[in-house]
Amino acid sequence: MVNFQIKNRKGFSLVEVLLASVIFGIFVATFVSAYLYGEEATMLAGNRARATFLAEEGVEAVRNIRDAGFSNLTDGVHGISTSGNQWSFSGSQDVNGIFTRTVTVAPIDSKRKNVTVNVTWQQNAQRTGTVSLVSRLTNWIIAGIGDWTNPTETGNVNISGNQDGLKIATQGDYVYVIINGGSPDFVVLDISNPDSPVQVGSFVLNGSPVDIEVIGNYAYIASNDNAEELKILDVSNPSAPVKVGVYNAPGNADGYAVDVIGNTAYLVRASSGDNEFIAINVTSKTAPVALGSVNLGDTGNAIRVLGNYAYVASNSNTQELQVINITNPSLPVISATYNIPSNNNAKSMAAFGTTVIVGTLTSGDVRIFDVSTPTNPVQAGLYTAGGNVNDISLGNNDTYAFLATGVNSAEFQVIDISNLSSPSLLGSYNISGNNALNGIAYSAVKDRAYAVGVSNTEEVVVIAPQ
Amino acid sequence: MFLRLRVSKKHKRVFARKGFTLVELLLYVAIVSLMVSTIVYFSITILEARVKNQTIAEVEQQGVQVMQIIAQTVRNSTDINAPAQGTSAATLSMNTYTGSNNPTIFDVSGGVIRMKEGSGSPVPLTNSRVTVSGLTFQNLSRANTPGVIRVQFTITYINNSGRNEYGFSQVFSGSASLR
């Protein structure tokens, strides 16, 4: 008997076909979903990259806000906005498309802040994406200031002639000096080497200059010249300053002080029948135009503008500090006055934030006023220099005041005004001989105080910290 | 129609050797066509997904690369020539620490972002697969600061055929501060 076996050779059953299809389907679905998930992953990676850019933008924006002033970094959780065409804090978060950004500023110590930028977004229905960048910003300007408790003279300049140096201004690598009746009487010094100023340019002005302010490419000079109480010099080329415009104030009263804010110059003058305070539109440097004026009743020696108010240091015995509302520059109005006890003339002034500092002659009062309410200045603190306070310059984020005085044993004084109610002497320097200082300008970039005075051999002195 | 084969008495097993009926043939054709069409459909989906993936990656990577080049150049600059503080423009001009690279200019021409250093000729930063629009540089600096520039642009994959897998567009924005 032939015993052979025939194997089962039937075709695929429908069930087997279905089974094969399902298995095949699972494979295909795997691959398709792998690609689709890949596509989604690419999208998610892109979103993450953009979220990182937004977070970076936050850090960079805060850095610029810091660059404008360390005190701008207020602690807390902020959003940032570009309102007013500059980066600023706004609200508690900001939304860019699908991304929400928060900037958290936290203090580390007085000179450092921690900045954390968080960007969150909805990746898909289930998941939230987060990018967090942390940066640490330092107040390097304040960190760069030296020890002013023992200042010394590190350089000086003897300008030709024996005329007295009156006032000084500094900007970048240059200082600008005005001299009483000298020839030249306007001098530009290069302070690339801070301790060795080099004269690079000069100009001979009509009449004698009294006060100077330098902003950008222009120097604004108050003068006793009867036809040019305000002069505007183009100093864009420091080696060849050139007079581009003048303003002839009514009458012959000497221009005594000038402060320039934006396109408006505020001039105060010696007492006369004409108005002592004049607001001048200097949009056109070649043709300044008066906007408005007001009679102060006495000589204005110094002027500073904060917001909508101008503060004038006056010779008046009953209102040494005058506050003028300049909300409408064409119609200035005296809105408050302050009577400093004693009849010493208010001679010099400095101002920042909501604080005005007035220096007087003779007793040398340095009076610090809180002008949070401009119409009601309140004296916050008093320091007595012991002699004429001829000029005041601020430094170290407005916590130091540098004084140019007539005190023979300490013509140069630095006072610490970080606590406005208790200003105290930090350091002083005795200029050789009894040569009073008339003007002073502190250069934060050089950490030097540049002073001018009556000395015939060193009209300009450089004073440095140790 | 079928053959019965007796193999062994011991093994009473019966084997069938059948052919195809018309119904079976139709069923077979139906199943095969279903599977083939499914395969083709999924294949196309896979190909489209791959192309779309490539499109997205192209746009994203070029955007990231251009943004990083611009941000890095801004950070290494000394000052901004244009746009002026508080304004915006389609062209950015800066000075760098390398004199021969001054000015370094970024602009867009014919849908391509270009970088021009000093007197050199403009170098394209994006390739011909994408087109750039809406390039804006905003100078958001505060007064008396080194400066900060905000950059924004849109990169779109060039899609002449109008097919979905080549269509992708993305807006990029970022800021960089001068040091």
Side-chain angles (χ1 to χ4, degrees):
Chain A
M1 192 85 196
V2 181
N3 188 4
F4 64 94
Q5 264 192 310
I6 297 174
K7 289 205 172 191
N8 186 353
R9 301 202 63 199
K10 67 171 176 183
F12 297 109
S13 76
L14 191 58
V15 173
E16 282 171 314
V17 168
L18 284 175
L19 194 65
S21 305
V22 167
I23 291 170
F24 176 75
I26 288 170
F27 272 102
V28 168
T30 308
F31 282 108
V32 169
S33 55
Y35 271 100
L36 290 178
Y37 278 119
E39 185 183 317
E40 191 189 346
T42 315
M43 291 279 286
L44 293 180
N47 284 345
R48 184 162 287 276
R50 273 185 305 285
T52 310
F53 283 137
L54 279 173
E56 263 179 41
E57 178 171 271
V59 174
E60 300 283 287
V62 173
R63 174 181 289 271
N64 190 256
I65 292 170
R66 188 282 310 267
D67 287 344
F70 191 74
S71 55
N72 292 336
L73 296 182
T74 42
D75 297 337
V77 181
H78 310 281
I80 53 172
S81 82
T82 62
S83 64
N85 285 322
Q86 62 175 25
W87 283 117
S88 48
F89 291 129
S90 156
S92 58
Q93 61 178 48
D94 63 299
V95 177
N96 302 269
I98 59 170
F99 304 100
T100 303
R101 175 168 55 191
T102 60
V103 177
T104 308
V105 180
I108 299 169
D109 54 36
S110 63
K111 293 169 188 164
R112 292 182 298 169
K113 300 258 186 188
N114 229 26
V115 177
T116 310
V117 181
N118 276 312
V119 175
T120 55
W121 71 102
Q122 203 65 37
Q123 283 185 318
N124 51 35
Q126 298 84 35
R127 286 198 301 162
T128 313
T130 308
V131 169
S132 184
L133 291 186
V134 183
S135 183
R136 192 166 277 194
L137 292 176
T138 55
N139 190 2
W140 55 272
I141 295 171
I142 196 173
I145 197 161
D147 176 6
W148 280 93
T149 53
N150 224 341
T152 53
E153 181 175 332
T154 52
N156 60 65
V157 181
N158 181 8
I159 291 170
S160 69
N162 289 337
Q163 287 82 9
D164 299 349
L166 285 182
K167 284 277 157 40
I168 187 165
T170 180
Q171 181 175 274
D173 276 343
Y174 299 94
V175 292
Y176 307 84
V177 180
I178 51 174
I179 296 153
N180 187 19
S183 181
D185 47 10
F186 174 78
V187 175
V188 184
L189 303 169
D190 182 336
I191 52 166
S192 303
N193 180 346
D195 299 322
S196 304
V198 180
Q199 183 173 333
V200 289
S202 65
F203 194 81
V204 180
L205 302 162
N206 301 336
S208 273
V210 184
D211 192 21
I212 181 171
E213 167 122 353
V214 177
I215 293 179
N217 288 332
Y218 297 95
Y220 302 82
I221 295 173
S223 166
N224 73 359
D225 189 331
N226 289 340
E228 308 180 351
E229 277 85 354
L230 177 68
K231 306 166 198 286
I232 304 178
L233 271 63
D234 182 343
V235 292
S236 53
N237 180 355
S239 59
V242 58
K243 186 169 76 180
V244 290
V246 299
Y247 171 74
N248 181 11
N252 291 337
D254 299 353
Y256 268 17
V258 62
D259 195 21
V260 180
I261 304 289
N263 285 322
T264 310
Y266 301 90
L267 183 72
V268 286
R269 304 198 291 163
S271 176
S272 76
D274 297 302
N275 288 351
E276 283 83 9
F277 174 91
I278 309 175
I280 303 160
N281 183 340
V282 291
T283 309
S284 161
K285 310 300 175 203
T286 53
V289 187
L291 292 168
S293 63
V294 67
N295 198 308
L296 301 179
D298 213 327
T299 299
N301 285 318
I303 180 166
R304 287 288 182 276
V305 173
L306 290 174
N308 287 328
Y309 292 86
Y311 301 84
V312 175
S314 170
N315 274 0
S316 166
N317 288 338
T318 54
Q319 36 184 262
E320 280 83 354
L321 174 63
Q322 297 172 321
V323 185
I324 301 159
N325 186 334
I326 49 166
T327 309
N328 178 358
S330 54
L331 202 68
V333 183
I334 298 179
S335 59
T337 61
Y338 187 94
N339 181 12
I340 295 179
S342 91
N343 290 339
N344 299 326
N345 294 345
K347 171 69 173 166
S348 50
M349 185 174 264
F352 63 93
T354 57
T355 305
V356 169
I357 304 170
V358 178
T360 71
L361 295 182
T362 316
S363 62
D365 288 7
V366 175
R367 288 178 186 263
I368 302 176
F369 291 94
D370 178 351
V371 291
S372 310
T373 310
T375 52
N376 180 28
V378 177
Q379 181 175 314
L382 168 66
Y383 167 79
T384 308
N388 296 347
V389 176
N390 293 321
D391 200 7
I392 306 172
S393 179
L394 298 171
N396 197 15
N397 264 7
D398 301 328
T399 58
Y400 289 179
F402 299 85
L403 310 180
T405 76
V407 181
N408 286 336
S409 59
E411 286 88 351
F412 172 82
Q413 301 185 15
V414 192
I415 55 175
D416 183 344
I417 54 167
S418 50
N419 182 349
L420 298 175
S421 60
S422 60
S424 59
L425 181 70
L426 197 65
S428 66
Y429 181 74
N430 180 14
I431 305 287
S432 74
N434 291 335
N435 292 313
L437 294 178
N438 285 328
I440 193 161
Y442 172 74
S443 168
V445 284
K446 307 291 181 190
D447 194 24
R448 294 286 186 278
Y450 294 89
V452 286
V454 302
S455 170
N456 290 338
T457 53
E458 44 172 24
E459 278 84 356
V460 180
V461 291
V462 185
I463 298 167
Q466 278 189 329
Chain B
M1 285 292 287
F2 59 87
L3 180 70
R4 278 180 162 234
L5 186 66
R6 175 152 298 186
V7 178
S8 158
K9 281 181 182 171
K10 284 179 185 172
H11 307 95
K12 290 194 173 171
R13 290 168 67 183
V14 176
F15 299 95
R17 271 189 167 266
K18 63 173 177 179
F20 296 107
T21 64
L22 184 61
V23 174
E24 281 173 323
L25 188 68
L26 287 176
L27 196 65
Y28 170 79
V29 168
I31 289 169
V32 165
S33 59
L34 193 70
M35 285 187 66
V36 166
S37 60
T38 312
I39 290 168
V40 168
Y41 173 76
F42 280 124
S43 302
I44 290 172
T45 309
I46 286 176
L47 288 176
E48 279 181 354
R50 190 187 68 84
V51 172
K52 183 84 185 185
N53 211 342
Q54 211 171 24
T55 303
I56 294 171
E58 187 81 45
V59 169
E60 297 283 8
Q61 283 181 14
Q62 292 210 38
V64 169
Q65 180 222 6
V66 169
M67 186 60 79
Q68 279 173 353
I69 289 176
I70 294 178
Q72 185 187 332
T73 311
V74 171
R75 288 190 188 112
N76 289 327
S77 293
T78 55
D79 51 350
I80 305 161
N81 300 323
Q85 188 191 330
T87 64
S88 58
T91 304
L92 173 67
S93 171
M94 288 170 305
N95 283 340
T96 66
Y97 287 95
T98 313
S100 58
N101 287 345
N102 295 343
T104 298
I105 296 170
F106 289 95
D107 64 356
V108 66
S109 170
V112 175
I113 292 187
R114 305 181 307 170
M115 179 182 185
K116 182 174 178 289
E117 289 180 319
S119 55
S121 51
V123 178
L125 300 180
T126 52
N127 66 21
S128 58
R129 290 200 181 115
V130 297
T131 178
V132 179
S133 57
L135 178 65
T136 314
F137 298 100
Q138 270 180 293
N139 187 338
L140 295 170
S141 320
R142 294 193 169 205
N144 302 320
T145 60
V148 60
I149 288 283
R150 182 168 200 259
V151 192
Q152 182 160 336
F153 53 85
T154 305
I155 293 192
T156 309
Y157 202 85
I158 292 178
N159 183 8
N160 293 327
S161 58
R163 284 157 64 186
N164 172 51
E165 60 266 38
Y166 292 112
F168 192 72
S169 180
Q170 195 62 261
V171 181
F172 294 86
S173 69
S175 288
S177 283
L178 279 69
R179 295 316 198 237

